[in-house]
Amino acid sequence: MTSSPKNILIANIRLIGDVILTTPLIALLRQAYPEATIDILVNRGTGEFLEKDQRVRTVIYVENSRKNDGYLGQIFRSYDLAINMNSSDRGNIAVLLAGRVTRIGFRNKGNSLKNIWQRLLLTHSLVFPEDIPVVHHCGVIAKALQIPYTHLTVDVFWDSADEARVNSILNERGVNTPYFVVHPFARWIYKYWRPERFAAVSDAIVERYGLHPVWTSSPSAEEKAGLANAALLCRHQPTLIAGDLSINQMTCLLKRAKCYLGLDTAISHLAASVGIPMVALYGPTFISRWFPWYNPGSPDQVCPQQRGRLQRGNIVVVQKDRECVPCGKAGCDDSGQTASPCMLEITEDEVLAAMAVCLAGPPANTPHLNA
């Protein structure tokens, strides 16, 4: 194990899902170096939820404008151990400037000239492993630091103020019976499913399981309008929580739910983290990397590149069984702005069958993904 650092920086200058799946490393570092302070470097809008994580001292933000590099002065030569969680030059440069003793970063495969500075200037220049669960990157870092571990756990925390906020909204909107959560949005349109199908599945869950529907969205005006319009298609009107909750509060809401239905999005990773039965619909995404992490499972759990209905514990992913799936593209035209046929072909019956499976738990004598 690396000699005990007094201060640690973890950089993950990517999207919110990447940051959520970095939280297992925070736990490993806190356990290995209990006296060290841990700071996190993230894009603005992706890591605010970490301000409620008592294991983290400071969340440092990279502003949306690339010209705003004020954070570099804040981190310069300030850490005994600095870690970049991906192969981006921006993150590796931050680690290079921040780390006094140990500097860990990833580089892409190959021996290109671009990688020379990373190999020479980082104390640990690791080849970025593409086709493994994203959470395993935390394990790769731990092994580089010779930190033993038996679990990798995704955690997002909330406090009493967050609980009070969730309670207030549920009480104000008359949700006083067991509920399920539907989050019918993702960052990109190519990950979308048809709103009328969400409505039909929501109605069927109400009728089959006696649960109250709670539908959620981000604060964006487009999603809030889309949520209201989609809800009008339901026979059993859902309670709408449209952009009213932070990520921490959303996690609290999910923890109390009986089940969850959503897409390939950060909210699905939150649902997985709190352990509720859940169904997520995936299109072209590489499921081998982005299957929601099953916290009770083995730290070496994997999800092979296969299609159809995939299950680990009480997490079920539905992905169409087409030869071109997964392609890893942002839709068939790779623009991200058009619906993917592999998403639109998912049927209501397939989703309801998946929900029945996740609510029942892992079926006996039925193969499912390594747990």
Side-chain angles (χ1 to χ4, degrees):
M1 184 184 299
T2 298
S3 58
S4 295
K6 294 181 180 179
N7 35 57
I8 301 169
L9 177 72
I10 303 173
N12 200 334
I13 310 174
R14 293 296 294 272
L15 301 178
I16 188 169
D18 300 83
V19 179
I20 290 169
L21 298 182
T22 295
T23 58
L25 182 61
I26 299 173
L28 296 180
L29 294 173
R30 171 57 60 233
Q31 181 178 3
Y33 312 119
E35 302 302 319
T37 60
I38 300 174
D39 292 347
I40 311 291
L41 178 67
V42 295
N43 279 322
R44 174 70 69 180
T46 67
E48 282 80 354
F49 69 91
L50 289 169
E51 294 181 4
K52 296 290 179 79
D53 191 330
Q54 295 186 359
R55 304 169 301 183
V56 174
R57 179 182 66 175
T58 305
V59 183
I60 303 169
Y61 296 104
V62 178
E63 301 299 335
N64 293 329
S65 171
R66 284 186 171 270
K67 295 181 180 179
N68 188 332
D69 56 1
Y71 67 92
L72 294 177
Q74 186 175 354
I75 67 175
F76 183 69
R77 303 290 290 171
S78 296
Y79 299 92
D80 297 328
L81 169 59
I83 301 164
N84 182 29
M85 293 302 297
N86 52 70
S87 60
S88 71
D89 286 348
R90 202 174 192 189
N92 282 329
I93 290 171
V95 162
L96 176 63
L97 294 175
R100 292 190 299 256
V101 180
T102 305
R103 299 175 296 278
I104 302 178
F106 289 104
R107 68 178 191 275
N108 293 321
K109 291 181 181 179
N111 295 314
S112 67
L113 293 176
K114 181 179 179 181
N115 291 334
I116 288 178
W117 71 270
Q118 298 166 355
R119 295 198 299 270
L120 291 177
L121 299 178
L122 298 174
T123 61
H124 299 67
S125 178
L126 310 174
V127 174
F128 186 73
E130 289 282 356
D131 199 27
I132 64 173
V134 173
V135 168
H136 281 195
H137 296 162
C138 300
V140 172
I141 297 294
K143 290 175 182 176
L145 292 170
Q146 300 181 357
I147 297 173
Y149 60 92
T150 57
H151 287 88
L152 294 171
T153 304
V154 176
D155 281 312
V156 173
F157 297 94
W158 60 89
D159 58 21
S160 57
D162 295 321
E163 290 185 353
R165 173 66 173 160
V166 171
N167 285 337
S168 174
I169 288 177
L170 292 176
N171 290 336
E172 288 173 0
R173 300 177 193 183
V175 181
N176 51 22
T177 58
Y179 63 87
F180 66 99
V181 173
V182 175
H183 190 83
F185 299 104
R187 180 180 177 87
W188 301 104
I189 292 174
Y190 78 92
K191 297 182 178 183
Y192 276 32
W193 199 43
R194 294 191 184 280
E196 64 270 19
R197 294 180 184 173
F198 271 115
V201 170
S202 178
D203 286 336
I205 293 173
V206 173
E207 292 162 6
R208 295 183 186 186
Y209 303 105
L211 302 174
H212 179 77
V214 174
W215 287 30
T216 60
S217 78
S218 80
S220 82
E222 184 178 1
E223 285 193 16
K224 292 169 73 171
L227 194 73
N229 290 333
L232 295 175
L233 303 174
C234 297
R235 297 191 310 276
H236 303 281
Q237 283 299 297
T239 295
L240 303 186
I241 302 181
D244 297 314
L245 300 178
S246 68
I247 288 294
N248 309 84
Q249 293 160 1
M250 185 70 190
T251 312
C252 178
L253 177 79
L254 289 166
K255 177 65 175 178
R256 301 180 184 186
K258 295 299 181 182
C259 60
Y260 164 84
L261 172 62
L263 300 172
D264 172 16
T265 186
I267 304 302
S268 294
H269 294 295
L270 297 180
S273 76
V274 298
I276 60 171
M278 61 169 286
V279 173
L281 313 183
Y282 277 54
T285 298
F286 287 115
I287 201 71
S288 57
R289 298 192 64 209
W290 294 104
F291 192 101
W293 187 255
Y294 181 53
N295 276 341
S298 165
D300 59 358
Q301 61 186 268
V302 296
C303 179
Q305 286 191 24
Q306 61 186 79
R307 301 172 292 273
R309 190 173 75 203
L310 310 176
Q311 182 181 3
R312 180 187 294 131
N314 60 358
I315 300 171
V316 179
V317 165
V318 179
Q319 190 175 46
K320 289 304 292 186
D321 189 4
R322 294 172 52 137
E323 289 185 4
C324 60
V325 175
C327 67
K329 295 181 179 180
C332 291
D333 62 3
D334 210 21
S335 71
Q337 298 303 317
T338 58
S340 297
C342 56
M343 281 297 296
L344 300 182
E345 290 176 7
I346 295 174
T347 68
E348 298 159 22
D349 287 343
E350 287 175 315
V351 177
L352 286 168
M355 185 61 69
V357 167
C358 80
L359 287 171
N365 302 319
T366 299
H368 57 279
L369 298 181
N370 202 16

